[in-house]
Amino acid sequence: MLSYNRLRNFDFALLFIVLIIFAIGLTFLYSATYHHAYKYSGSLPQSFLLRQIVWFMLALLIGVVVLKVEYQKWLELAYPLYAINFILLLFVLVSGATRLGAQRWITFGGIAFQPSEFSKLVIILTLARYLGQKENVSAKDLIASFLIIGLPFLLIVKQPDLGTALILVPILFGVLYGWGARLRTLILIFLGFGLTTPFLWQLLKDYQKRRILVFINPNMDPLGAGYTVIQSKIAIGSGGLLGKGWLAGTQNQLNFLPERHTDFIFSVVGEEWGFLGATLLLALYFALIWRAFSCIQQTLNSSGRLLVYGIIALLSFQVVINIAMTMGLLPVVGLPLPLISYGGSSLVSTMVAVALVLNVGMRR
Amino acid sequence: MRAQLLKKIIFIFFLLLCAACAYNQLIKESYYFRLSQNNRIKLVKLSAARGEIYDRKGKILAGRRLIFNAAVLPQETRNIEKSIKALSPILNISEQRLLRQFKRNFSAPFIPVVLACDIPKEKAVVLECRESDIPGLVVRTESLRDYRSRRSFSHILGYLGRLREEELKRVKTYGLGGIEDLVGRSGVEEAFDAYLRGERGGKQVEVDSRGHLVKVLGLREPLSGEKLYLTIDADLQRYVEGLLEEKKGVCIVMDVERGEILSMVSKPDFDPNMFITALNGNLKAGRQISELLTSKEAPLVNRAISGTYPPGSIFKIVVAAAALETGKITIDEKFNCPGCFKVGRREFFCWNLDGHGNEDIHSALCHSCNVFFYRLGLAVGPDKISSFARRFGLGSATGVDLPYESTGLVPSKSWKYKVKKEKWYDGETANFSIGQGYLLVTPLQITQLISAVANGGYLVRPHIVKRIGEEEAAVSRKKIGLKEETLEIIKEGMRRVIGDERGTGHRARIAGVEWAAKTGTAQALESRPAHGWFGAFYPFDEPRISVLVFLEYGGSGGDVPAVMAKQIVDFYAQLQ
C-alpha cells in the first residue's frame, strides 16, 4: 500500500488534468467517427469509443503498476529494457507487419503494438540513469548519450517512423539541458544535426520525401499528400472563434478530413469548438507540462529530475509537432496527439510517462 | 534556474501555436469558411428535358433514354489503379483501357471521370452496391436523346453536339452555360433548338467528400423543352426510306396546298444515335463519325435541300410557261423535230435521234422533245426564262424550316457577264431550255415548282414542323401570277407523260387513277450516268400531293425514278 506520505505528495491536479484531456479526447473521437464514420469505415462510433476506453483502462492499470514500483527500480531496469527494446526494434525491421508503407507493428498475442512507442520511454529512462550518475558535464558523456539515442533512432527512421524518430531529438536535448549542458553547446550540436539531413534524406521512403516536399508547397499535390493538410487548415480556419458546434463541423462530418480520428483530431477540435476550444486544449496541455515542472523543482534526485525533463520534452513536443502539423507549420510526420488521438500504443505510453512523473513527484 | 528557462521556451512554443490558431481562426476565418462552404455546397445544374419530336400522327421520333454511367471521383481515391483493378472484372473492360480512359477524361479532382458509359442496368446495380468498398466509385444516371427511328429520319431530325468554343460566347446571351451544353446540329434539332432545349434549373446541395448528396438546400426546377410535331408521316417516311435503300438520291412527298412535307428522305444517310454515343467519349462511335465526315458520299448532307443539281427536262415546265405567257407559242402551234437542231454552227440533238416529227406543246412535254424546247427557249430568250424560273422559286431558298438550305443557281446574261466575264451565247440558251448548263436546283425547289403547277399557281413555303407545343405553324403561299390557261396546258402535258403510251413517264401509270408528272434526265459528268428526276402530282383532278424522286447518277428519270414514284403513290393511297 502507498503510505500516507506518498499519497500526500501525489499530484492529484496532474491526474485530473490528464482525465479532463482524455474526456475531451473521447468527446471528439465520438464526433470524428460519428454518423458518416459508419458509412465510410463500416464501424460504429461506439466501437471506436469502446476500444479507446478499454485501452485507457489498460493504460491506467499499467500506470498503477508503474506507480507502485519505486522509480529508482525502473531506472535500475533501464539498461536491460534498453537491450530488449533494441532487439524488438530489430525484430520489427525483420518481420514486422507492414501498414501504410511502414513496418512499425509487431503482433503479440493478437494485439498489434509499436515498439517504437516504448522506445521513447526506454530511452528517457536510459539517459536519465546514465547521466544522473555523472556529476559534471563532459564531452565523453555527451557522446555516450548521443550513442544511446542514435542507435534506436536509426532503426526507427529505417522502419520508417519519422514522427517517433523526430520526437527523440527534443528528448535528447531536454535531458541534456536538464543535466546541465550549456545552451550554446546544445545549439551548436543542433546545427550540427542539420548537416546530417542530406544523409537522412536518403533513408526516407518516397512517400515521406513527397510529404516533406508537399509541406513546403501543399498545392504541389492537392489530392495526394497535400490534401490532408489543405483540408485540415480549412477545417481549423473555418471554425472561427466559437466553432461550428460539436458534431456540426462540415469538414469533419462530411468526410473532407482524412485521418481525423488519429493524427488530425486537433482539426476536429478546431473546427467544432473554434479558437476557444483550441486554446483551451493548449492551455490544458500546458498545465500538464507545468505540473511536471513543479515536480522537477521539488525533486532532489538528479536521475529522477532528468527522467521528468525527458518526459516533459516528449509530451510537450509531441503536442507542439502534432498541432503545428495540422496547421501546415510542420510536415506531416505521423505523430499522435497524446491522450486524444485514437490508438492504444500511444495511450499506454503516454499514461506510463504520466505515471513516471507522478512516481518521481511522490517519492521526491 | 534551468527548469524556469525551459518552461519559458515551451511556453513560447505554445504561444506560437495559439498565435497560429488565432491567425487561421480569427483573421482568416472568412477565407477558410468560404473554402469549407465550397467543399460542401455544390450547385448542381439540372438540365432541362429536351422536347420530344413526334410525327404528324403523334408517333414518337426522338425521345429520351435513361442510361447508367460508371465514374470515379478522383479526389476520393488515392490509388486509382486499385479502384480500376476492382472495376475491371465487373465492367469487363481491361485495366489498361480503363486507365487510359481515366487519364483522357480527367479534368479536375472534384469532377467525376466517366469510365464506362451506358452500362447495363444489372451491372449498375452491382456497382451501386460496391460504392462503399471501391474508393471513388460513383454510379450516375444520365438522360440521353434517343432517336427511335434510327436511320429513317436522320436528315430531318439532325443530331446533338457539344458547343464549340467559338459558339460559347455567342450563345451565352440565351442563357446557355458551358461546354457541357448540348445543341442541335442540322435538321429540326438545330432549326428548333431554342424551343426544344427548355430552360435549365439548378439545385444547391450539401455533399460529402464523395459528392454524395446529403441534403438539398435550394431548388429551381428546370423547364422542359417544347414538344414538336412534324408534318412527316412516319409510316410513309419509313416506306420511302426502304424504297431508296442503298440508292443515292432524294424522295420528297409534299402536300401541294399547305406545303407540309409528308416525307423527305436523302440517301446516303446516318444513324443520329451515333453522335449521342460519341458524346460520352465512345471511341468506336467517334471513329464512325469521322468516317461520315470525310466520306466522299457526304452522308451528313441533306441532299433534298442542300444538294444542287441540273434539273434536266423537268425545267421544260418553266420554259413552256414562259413561252405561253409571253405568247411565243400557242396551243395549236407545231414544230418539227428531225432529231437535231442547229444553233449557229453547232448541232444540238434531241434525246431521240430519230426525231419526234411534228410536236405541239402537249406532245412536246409528253415526249420531252428537246428540239421543240430549243426553239421555244431561243424564241423566249435567256433572261425571260431566268425571270420565270425565279417566279417558280428557283434560284432562291424555299424558306423551309431546316438549316443549310441551298439557293441553287439561275443564270442570266448579266450573271454570266459578271461572273464569267463573257457574253452569253445562243448555244447556252439551248442548253438552258432543257435544264442543263449553269442552272442548278435543289430537289425541294423542284417539289415546290411541281406543287405550284398542281395547286393553281401558288408558291407555297415547304415546311416540316406542324406544331410547336400548342402553336400551329403558319402556311404561307404566294401567287406566281400565271394565266389559268397556261397552267392547264402544262398540266395536260404532264398528264400525258404518264397517261400517254409514248409518254416518258409511262412506267408510273396506275390503273384507274390519273396523275401527272415530268421526267428529267440531267447530264452531270461525262463519265457517269445522268441524274434521274421524276416530279409528279397526284391525283390529276384536285391534286393533293406532289412526289419527287431524284436519283443521283441514277439514269433516266422515266425508268427507276418513275417506278419508285408509282410505288410511293400506291403506298400513300393505301394510307388514306
Side-chain angles (χ1 to χ4, degrees):
Chain A
M1 281 304 290
L2 296 168
S3 70
Y4 169 73
N5 194 29
R6 299 250 167 94
L7 219 53
R8 202 190 57 186
N9 285 336
F10 186 84
D11 192 344
F12 285 103
L14 178 59
L15 184 63
F16 185 62
I17 293 166
V18 165
L19 289 175
I20 289 182
I21 295 177
F22 178 70
I24 292 176
L26 280 185
T27 313
F28 282 98
L29 181 63
Y30 184 79
S31 177
T33 55
Y34 176 73
H35 190 57
H36 281 79
Y38 177 69
K39 210 160 134 190
Y40 300 111
S41 65
S43 332
L44 288 166
Q46 284 85 344
S47 73
F48 281 99
L49 227 53
L50 198 68
R51 267 180 277 169
Q52 185 80 338
I53 289 170
V54 168
W55 270 109
F56 188 66
M57 293 299 174
L58 189 69
L60 275 181
L61 213 69
I62 296 170
V64 169
V65 173
V66 171
L67 257 180
K68 283 198 79 162
V69 180
E70 283 179 48
Y71 71 89
Q72 285 89 345
K73 288 260 166 55
W74 290 113
L75 282 168
E76 278 165 33
L77 277 173
Y79 294 162
L81 282 174
Y82 184 84
I84 291 169
N85 183 254
F86 192 74
I87 291 164
L88 280 176
L89 285 176
L90 275 177
F91 183 71
V92 167
L93 273 185
V94 178
S95 67
T98 304
R99 291 188 198 170
L100 306 165
Q103 286 182 303
R104 291 181 198 171
W105 283 266
I106 49 177
T107 318
F108 193 76
I111 302 165
F113 84 107
Q114 303 179 53
S116 55
E117 266 306 316
F118 300 96
S119 302
K120 302 183 284 196
L121 294 169
V122 172
I123 286 166
I124 292 172
L125 276 173
T126 314
L127 282 174
R129 158 123 198 238
Y130 180 78
L131 293 174
Q133 298 161 341
K134 316 286 171 180
E135 288 284 318
N136 298 311
V137 176
S138 69
K140 191 196 88 187
D141 295 330
L142 257 178
I143 293 166
S145 25
F146 268 92
L147 284 177
I148 289 171
I149 213 160
L151 288 172
F153 179 84
L154 287 178
L155 289 178
I156 293 170
V157 168
K158 193 94 188 75
Q159 283 183 0
D161 182 352
L162 209 59
T164 307
L166 211 65
I167 204 72
L168 294 182
V169 179
I171 288 176
L172 174 67
F173 283 86
V175 176
L176 287 177
Y177 179 80
W179 178 46
R182 277 199 303 181
L183 203 57
R184 208 174 53 190
T185 322
L186 292 179
I187 290 170
L188 279 175
I189 294 169
F190 186 76
L191 291 177
F193 244 110
L195 293 178
T196 61
T197 19
F199 166 71
L200 287 176
W201 182 257
Q202 300 301 317
L203 284 177
L204 296 181
K205 293 242 168 170
D206 278 346
Y207 84 93
Q208 290 176 314
K209 289 181 185 171
R210 204 163 57 236
R211 274 184 182 176
I212 292 171
L213 290 174
V214 167
F215 158 66
I216 295 161
N217 177 15
N219 292 317
M220 188 178 93
D221 183 11
L223 280 190
Y227 178 81
T228 315
V229 175
I230 293 172
Q231 294 302 336
S232 166
K233 281 175 84 171
I234 294 175
I236 295 171
S238 65
L241 179 65
L242 298 171
K244 297 175 185 168
W246 187 56
L247 301 183
T250 55
Q251 287 287 98
N252 169 29
Q253 300 299 339
L254 298 172
N255 194 36
F256 288 105
L257 199 60
E259 297 175 50
R260 59 182 176 277
H261 61 297
T262 57
D263 293 357
F264 280 84
I265 198 155
F266 181 76
S267 319
V268 180
V269 181
E271 184 183 22
E272 299 194 343
W273 276 10
F275 178 69
L276 288 184
T279 43
L280 170 73
L281 197 59
L282 281 167
L284 282 169
Y285 276 119
F286 190 72
L288 182 77
I289 308 292
W290 185 59
R291 289 310 309 164
F293 268 113
S294 61
C295 167
I296 289 180
Q297 277 158 344
Q298 290 158 357
T299 305
L300 296 171
N301 182 305
S302 64
S303 280
R305 285 168 48 160
L306 289 186
L307 185 59
V308 181
Y309 266 111
I311 288 167
I312 286 173
L314 167 70
L315 292 180
S316 54
F317 277 89
Q318 208 165 325
V319 170
V320 168
I321 291 172
N322 176 282
I323 294 178
M325 160 183 112
T326 61
M327 285 189 280
L329 301 171
L330 283 177
V332 177
V333 287
L335 205 62
L337 189 59
L339 297 169
I340 292 197
S341 286
Y342 175 74
S345 300
S346 161
L347 259 187
V348 171
S349 75
T350 308
M351 284 314 286
V352 169
V354 168
L356 283 171
V357 174
L358 288 170
N359 197 333
V360 174
M362 230 161 49
R363 299 182 174 91
R364 29 178 96 139
Chain B
M1 188 63 202
R2 308 213 100 194
Q4 288 304 328
L5 183 60
L6 185 61
K7 205 201 275 188
K8 275 179 192 147
I9 293 171
I10 292 172
F11 186 65
I12 288 169
F13 272 111
F14 274 70
L15 271 187
L16 284 175
L17 288 181
C18 282
C21 283
Y23 174 73
N24 284 329
Q25 300 187 289
L26 304 180
I27 297 172
K28 298 197 78 178
E29 184 205 350
S30 56
Y31 168 73
Y32 284 119
F33 188 73
R34 203 178 60 235
L35 288 184
S36 81
Q37 294 295 73
N38 287 353
N39 260 349
R40 86 181 169 103
I41 297 174
K42 297 272 184 271
L43 193 66
V44 180
K45 290 173 187 164
L46 296 177
S47 42
R50 202 172 169 84
E52 287 114 341
I53 304 175
Y54 300 90
D55 86 334
R56 63 185 298 126
K57 292 174 189 158
K59 282 186 189 153
I60 192 153
L61 304 179
R64 280 190 297 271
R65 187 164 65 94
L66 203 64
I67 63 157
F68 297 92
N69 295 338
V72 286
L73 194 60
Q75 69 181 17
E76 267 307 307
T77 163
R78 297 293 154 72
N79 188 348
I80 182 68
E81 281 89 2
K82 215 167 137 192
S83 299
I84 279 177
K85 203 182 180 118
L87 280 172
S88 170
I90 306 174
L91 294 172
N92 221 348
I93 304 174
S94 77
E95 285 172 40
Q96 297 95 303
R97 250 187 78 186
L98 287 176
L99 200 62
R100 264 210 313 274
Q101 184 87 353
F102 177 82
K103 283 181 181 150
R104 207 159 47 95
N105 292 353
F106 179 88
S107 54
F110 49 85
I111 294 175
V113 180
V114 174
L115 291 181
C117 269
D118 201 0
I119 51 176
K121 208 172 173 185
E122 309 81 62
K123 277 190 185 172
V125 173
V126 172
L127 285 178
E128 217 140 49
C129 294
R130 300 208 42 194
E131 266 188 23
S132 59
D133 67 319
I134 300 179
L137 171 68
V138 278
V139 179
R140 324 188 94 205
T141 55
E142 197 184 339
S143 166
L144 280 194
R145 192 59 148 176
D146 184 26
Y147 301 105
R148 311 283 158 89
S149 43
R150 306 215 158 263
R151 286 179 174 277
S152 311
F153 297 83
S154 38
H155 293 109
I156 294 174
L157 296 178
Y159 52 93
L160 298 181
R162 289 205 200 287
L163 279 169
R164 294 187 201 105
E165 195 95 24
E166 66 269 22
E167 289 171 317
L168 268 177
K169 236 185 248 147
R170 190 156 51 82
V171 298
K172 269 256 158 70
T173 44
Y174 302 111
L176 295 181
I179 39 163
E180 73 277 14
D181 272 309
L182 298 181
V183 288
R185 296 249 178 257
S186 96
V188 170
E189 292 271 33
E190 176 169 339
F192 292 86
D193 190 61
Y195 296 97
L196 289 166
R197 87 165 38 254
E199 212 174 294
R200 195 165 59 190
K203 196 163 64 164
Q204 212 179 28
V205 295
E206 182 178 73
V207 294
D208 62 18
S209 62
R210 292 202 160 190
H212 283 308
L213 180 108
V214 177
K215 62 173 177 263
V216 178
L217 304 171
L219 174 71
R220 197 180 130 214
E221 297 270 9
L223 286 173
S224 304
E226 297 273 18
K227 285 177 177 152
L228 226 58
Y229 292 84
L230 303 188
T231 58
I232 296 289
D233 183 314
D235 298 315
L236 185 66
Q237 176 80 3
R238 278 204 193 85
Y239 177 77
V240 172
E241 196 252 344
L243 214 56
L244 262 168
E245 255 184 320
E246 297 300 307
K247 297 182 196 75
K248 227 170 11 166
V250 173
C251 283
I252 301 170
V253 180
M254 188 169 101
D255 180 305
V256 295
E257 294 292 340
R258 303 175 59 83
E260 291 177 352
I261 298 170
L262 301 175
S263 165
M264 180 192 267
V265 178
S266 169
K267 286 275 187 178
D269 55 8
F270 59 93
D271 182 354
N273 287 308
M274 205 187 309
F275 288 88
I276 306 300
T277 320
L279 284 177
N280 282 320
N282 185 308
L283 287 175
K284 198 176 141 212
R287 268 198 304 277
Q288 283 169 323
I289 288 170
S290 56
E291 271 170 37
L292 287 180
L293 287 168
T294 52
S295 166
K296 282 206 180 88
E297 306 283 292
L300 293 180
V301 172
N302 184 357
R303 288 167 156 74
I305 58 169
S306 309
T308 57
Y309 309 91
S313 305
I314 281 210
F315 189 66
K316 286 170 184 166
I317 294 170
V318 174
V319 180
L324 286 163
E325 289 284 311
T326 52
K328 300 292 178 198
I329 191 162
T330 59
I331 191 157
D332 308 313
E333 232 171 303
K334 286 187 179 169
F335 291 123
N336 180 46
C337 168
C340 136
F341 181 70
K342 225 171 180 171
V343 182
R345 260 175 288 166
R346 230 184 112 188
E347 284 197 315
F348 286 80
F349 296 95
C350 192
W351 61 270
N352 182 354
L353 294 174
D354 299 334
H356 287 103
N358 278 341
E359 294 268 41
D360 66 4
I361 181 90
H362 285 137
S363 60
L365 279 169
C366 166
H367 303 140
S368 200
C369 174
N370 285 358
V371 171
F372 185 91
F373 281 96
Y374 292 145
R375 299 182 72 147
L376 227 51
L378 284 167
V380 174
D383 281 350
K384 262 275 175 289
I385 300 176
S386 293
S387 101
F388 272 88
R390 291 219 174 78
R391 279 163 78 174
F392 272 103
L394 305 184
S396 59
T398 63
V400 68
D401 43 0
L402 288 173
Y404 310 116
E405 191 183 6
S406 301
T407 56
L409 174 67
V410 174
S412 65
K413 278 183 181 169
S414 58
W415 169 83
K416 193 181 175 202
Y417 192 74
K418 214 157 75 187
V419 177
K420 307 261 175 190
K421 308 267 185 276
E422 265 182 71
K423 70 178 275 249
W424 183 278
Y425 299 104
D426 280 348
E428 288 168 329
T429 309
N431 264 335
F432 192 18
S433 311
I434 60 161
Q436 297 278 166
Y438 303 116
L439 181 65
L440 290 173
V441 299
T442 68
L444 188 62
Q445 283 173 333
I446 296 300
T447 314
Q448 191 186 32
L449 184 154
I450 301 281
S451 302
V453 174
N455 66 19
Y458 291 93
L459 211 55
V460 289
R461 184 182 68 89
H463 61 279
I464 202 151
V465 169
K466 194 170 167 57
R467 190 143 66 81
I468 305 167
E470 297 303 317
E471 198 185 328
E472 201 83 25
V475 173
S476 112
R477 45 194 252 163
K478 93 179 172 241
K479 212 165 169 53
I480 297 176
L482 297 178
K483 289 180 216 142
E484 207 164 303
E485 201 191 340
T486 307
L487 285 171
E488 286 309 317
I489 293 168
I490 293 170
K491 278 165 88 172
E492 173 58 20
M494 286 173 73
R495 188 190 64 77
R496 292 196 201 172
V497 169
I498 295 176
D500 193 294
E501 258 175 57
R502 284 180 63 209
T504 52
H506 187 63
R507 285 193 193 153
R509 196 187 153 93
I510 299 170
V513 189
E514 279 208 303
W515 61 311
K518 181 71 196 82
T519 59
T521 307
Q523 305 295 332
L525 290 171
E526 290 284 340
S527 54
R528 305 198 60 173
H531 297 315
W533 290 90
F534 192 84
F537 59 88
Y538 167 92
F540 183 72
D541 305 312
E542 288 170 35
R544 287 206 302 273
I545 56 164
S546 52
V547 178
L548 181 100
V549 178
F550 166 75
L551 293 183
E552 209 173 300
Y553 307 112
S556 171
D559 293 343
V560 184
V563 176
M564 283 172 62
K566 172 185 178 296
Q567 287 170 303
I568 291 168
V569 166
D570 278 339
F571 188 81
Y572 173 80
Q574 268 175 45
L575 279 179
Q576 299 309 301

